[in-house]
Amino acid sequence: MSEKTAIIIGAGPAGLTAAYELLTSTDIKPVILEATGDIGGISRTHVHNGRRMDLGGHRFFSKSKVVTDFWLRTMPMQGSPARDDIKLKREKTMTSGGPDPEKHDRVMLLRNRVSRILYLRKFFDYPIALKPQTIANLGFARTMKSGFGYMAAMVFKREEKSLEDFMVNRFGLPLYHMFFEDYNRKLWGVSPADMEPDWGAQRIKGLSLTKAVLHMFSKQKETSLIEEFWYPKKGPGQLWETVADDIRRLGGEIVMNAEVVEAQTKDGQISAVTAKTADGEKTYNGDYFFSSMPVKDLVKAMPQTQVPKDVAAVAEKLPYRDFMTVGLLVDKLLIENKTKIKTVNNIVPDCWIYIQERDVKIGRLQIFNNWSPYMLTEEDEKAGRVWIGLEYFCNEGDEMWAAKDADFIAFATSELVKIGIIKDTSVVRERTVLRVKKAYPAYFGVYKQFPKVREYLDGFENLFCIGRNGQHRYNNMDHSMLTAMTAVELIKSGSKNKVELWNVNAEQEYHETKKP
């Protein structure tokens, strides 16, 4: 009996997980075709002059045991303190016999989660918490307005036809305007009033002002956003690069810089795909096909004479949001650490800061020092420098995307000065900019008609759509992995029902909710 082959499009978390699962639980050989030269997709780690950047920020946290087992099997939990833990004499729960991050690289760190919102040039907890500091920051008038607005939302519920309706029902109209409307407009490029409520159901369903109040008084607290998370020593890409090495060791194949441009179909099956490589086009035949490439591009790659016109029209217009991040190494931040959390060089403790200010375009600010001390050099740390990432959401080809690197870096830096994050450009020592296409599948426009496309793709018996872009769904990393694991299980069981595959990340609890 000849060996069966699975062609996997994309070397992100979904594609790599699918390949690993096939190699360890079936006799099917995986061949991964990755369009770029990087492993990990949007979960990759970019290295700039020895310093590491996490594109988008990736906390390793999941309610799924199979996912957490996968992570720890790949990178064991630390058994000794990390560099910053040692300096701060910070106590953490260590794993007996676990690797020492000061001596070994293949190690998972336990990190503290701190995220806040910058609004009115002041810091607010994320998610919004009812604390004296919150009230002081808002002022009496805004606090009263927010309270009455919330009570009104509890009595007069909106029919949830949009993301705006979804958020107003949980926080009230004043808080929605203060903390949600502008950020989401930055993120998606459209008003939340023009978006489907699906994104809220997937990302913030468990959050509301009621739960914030209950959280204050409950002894058995529901952690609506995790207080600790795991993190690979050298960023998320390190884990996926390690998985890629394991795949090759187990006999799988990964072809880099191989962009799939054509998919051949026959008798309700995908029979082969053609990839454009440096050596020309090459066709790959397979028995099973896993796709984590954007749905828009997958449908376009199929024979257009066979794709129904309505399906092709919807797929072509599926909306996406692209992403840019500017990395800056700075001597010092102007914002001060006024929390009780100790940090190296007393920088602010945040992993990232949501920028809710209306007078700038920056959406979020990452502080890589706080993700892992190994994301920057020891020399930087000794000098007290801070390695940060400025995140912008845009559309491919728009003014931000098309700007020259130097011009965009100058613009981004000026925004940090404007909102008081840094003093001036003289504190900047290193700078770089990265662009990521189709980072966020969007929930507006023709998205409402996406079921037509899904039904068409599900009609191909040996095709499995996995991952964020493969399902046009804002999956977290663990959900993307679960789609891959589910697809492999469907193959093993011989099931032709793909409903379970699409039900991943459709659960009713918030994606980072954890009950004791």
Side-chain angles (χ1 to χ4, degrees):
M1 185 176 179
S2 60
E3 181 182 54
K4 290 190 174 182
T5 302
I7 305 299
I8 301 173
I9 306 172
L16 292 166
T17 300
Y20 187 89
E21 293 295 306
L22 288 171
L23 286 165
T24 54
S25 64
T26 76
D27 57 359
I28 301 169
K29 178 186 175 181
V31 177
I32 298 178
L33 305 178
E34 169 53 44
T36 72
D38 298 307
I39 292 291
I42 197 173
S43 298
R44 70 182 182 271
T45 302
H46 176 76
V47 181
H48 175 75
N49 292 341
R51 301 169 185 92
R52 296 173 174 270
M53 297 175 64
D54 180 347
L55 307 186
H58 291 83
R59 302 187 187 110
F60 284 66
F61 171 84
S62 180
K63 294 179 291 183
S64 170
K65 188 175 186 300
V66 292
V67 167
T68 55
D69 286 349
F70 185 106
W71 288 335
L72 292 183
R73 185 170 58 244
T74 305
M75 300 193 75
M77 186 60 67
Q78 67 184 90
S80 301
R83 184 193 302 162
D84 54 354
D85 295 329
I86 295 171
K87 290 182 178 180
L88 298 169
K89 298 180 180 178
R90 188 161 52 194
E91 293 186 5
K92 285 188 177 176
T93 303
M94 300 296 165
T95 299
S96 178
D100 182 347
E102 286 289 274
K103 299 177 181 178
H104 304 282
D105 283 342
R106 192 164 176 167
V107 52
M108 189 78 80
L109 306 180
L110 182 64
R111 309 301 295 171
N112 296 328
R113 174 206 166 269
V114 181
S115 295
R116 291 182 292 173
I117 299 169
L118 186 68
Y119 174 60
L120 304 173
R121 305 304 199 254
K122 299 173 183 177
F123 282 108
F124 293 81
D125 287 342
Y126 178 78
I128 296 300
L130 288 180
K131 294 181 177 179
Q133 188 61 48
T134 303
I135 296 171
N137 285 351
L138 282 177
F140 179 77
R142 287 192 186 92
T143 300
M144 293 301 292
K145 186 177 180 181
S146 299
F148 285 120
Y150 176 68
M151 287 189 286
M154 293 301 96
V155 176
F156 304 104
K157 288 291 185 184
R158 294 186 177 193
E159 182 182 355
E160 293 184 355
K161 295 181 178 179
S162 69
L163 181 60
E164 177 179 291
D165 296 330
F166 182 95
M167 291 177 169
V168 170
N169 278 347
R170 284 154 182 77
F171 296 93
L173 192 59
L175 282 176
Y176 161 73
H177 285 315
M178 291 179 202
F179 293 107
F180 297 97
E181 182 179 25
D182 292 327
Y183 179 80
N184 278 281
R185 192 185 290 271
K186 286 180 184 180
L187 175 56
W188 299 112
V190 299
S191 168
D194 297 324
M195 288 185 62
E196 297 297 317
D198 303 43
W199 184 81
Q202 290 176 17
R203 303 291 293 192
I204 58 175
K205 191 171 185 71
L207 293 180
S208 70
L209 202 59
T210 301
K211 289 199 173 183
V213 174
L214 293 176
H215 186 84
M216 290 175 64
F217 299 104
S218 174
K219 291 183 178 180
Q220 288 201 339
K221 295 181 179 179
E222 179 176 328
T223 307
S224 46
L225 271 169
I226 53 171
E227 294 167 358
E228 288 185 326
F229 61 93
W230 301 345
Y231 198 72
K233 175 181 175 178
K234 295 185 177 181
Q238 182 195 10
L239 181 134
W240 296 114
E241 290 158 11
T242 303
V243 172
D245 290 341
D246 290 343
I247 288 168
R248 296 185 184 100
R249 176 178 54 79
L250 292 168
E253 184 179 352
I254 303 177
V255 185
M256 304 300 292
N257 298 301
E259 179 186 3
V260 171
V261 293
E262 182 182 350
Q264 300 171 24
T265 62
K266 183 179 180 181
D267 301 327
Q269 305 264 342
I270 305 293
S271 57
V273 297
T274 299
K276 184 166 57 178
T277 71
D279 299 322
E281 293 189 346
K282 183 176 180 180
T283 298
Y284 293 83
N285 297 297
D287 300 284
Y288 306 99
F289 292 82
F290 294 71
S291 176
S292 67
M293 70 189 291
V295 170
K296 177 178 183 175
D297 297 335
L298 174 62
V299 174
K300 187 177 180 180
M302 292 177 166
Q304 294 303 292
T305 55
Q306 298 176 21
V307 179
K309 289 185 178 179
D310 59 340
V311 171
V314 173
E316 173 63 26
K317 294 179 181 178
L318 280 174
Y320 298 85
R321 196 70 165 143
D322 305 296
F323 175 81
M324 295 176 67
T325 184
V326 175
L328 297 179
L329 180 69
V330 300
D331 288 328
K332 185 180 180 181
L333 300 177
L334 271 185
I335 48 176
E336 299 176 353
N337 181 15
K338 296 182 179 180
T339 73
K340 296 179 181 179
I341 302 171
K342 293 182 179 180
T343 60
V344 175
N345 299 317
N346 201 35
I347 65 173
V348 289
D350 307 77
C351 299
W352 62 45
I353 299 169
Y354 293 91
I355 310 296
Q356 188 65 18
E357 307 291 17
R358 296 180 177 181
D359 55 344
V360 290
K361 293 183 178 180
I362 180 175
R364 206 165 55 181
L365 175 71
Q366 283 200 75
I367 302 176
F368 299 120
N369 305 52
N370 295 329
W371 287 95
S372 166
Y374 307 100
M375 297 289 276
L376 63 165
T377 67
E378 285 191 72
E379 179 186 349
D380 291 333
E381 193 173 282
K382 289 177 181 177
R385 296 172 190 145
V386 190
W387 180 223
I388 57 178
L390 292 66
E391 298 181 355
Y392 289 85
F393 313 108
C394 55
N395 291 325
E396 183 182 351
D398 69 11
E399 184 179 1
M400 285 198 287
W401 185 273
K404 293 180 180 179
D405 287 1
D407 292 341
F408 191 76
I409 290 170
F411 162 73
T413 305
S414 71
E415 290 212 317
L416 284 195
V417 175
K418 184 176 185 179
I419 58 177
I421 301 293
I422 60 175
K423 181 181 178 182
D424 53 41
T425 58
S426 68
V427 302
V428 180
R429 289 185 170 260
E430 289 278 353
R431 49 188 68 80
T432 187
V433 62
L434 299 171
R435 294 169 174 81
V436 181
K437 297 179 181 179
K438 296 182 175 69
Y440 305 102
Y443 292 62
F444 53 84
V446 299
Y447 167 77
K448 187 179 290 188
Q449 301 176 58
F450 180 71
K452 292 181 182 179
V453 181
R454 169 185 161 179
E455 183 180 0
Y456 176 71
L457 295 176
D458 279 352
F460 295 97
E461 187 179 326
N462 65 339
L463 173 65
F464 301 89
C465 295
I466 60 175
R468 177 179 284 196
N469 273 332
Q471 293 194 335
H472 199 84
R473 181 176 290 171
Y474 198 143
N475 286 328
N476 263 9
M477 180 166 50
D478 61 333
H479 291 125
S480 292
M481 294 172 65
L482 284 170
T483 62
M485 293 174 177
T486 302
V488 172
E489 288 301 315
L490 290 176
I491 290 174
K492 289 163 64 176
S493 67
S495 174
K496 298 179 182 180
N497 187 350
K498 297 176 184 175
V499 172
E500 187 180 352
L501 179 60
W502 291 93
N503 278 346
V504 173
N505 195 14
E507 74 270 33
Q508 296 303 303
E509 292 184 79
Y510 177 60
H511 73 292
E512 286 185 354
T513 295
K514 178 181 177 182
K515 292 183 179 179

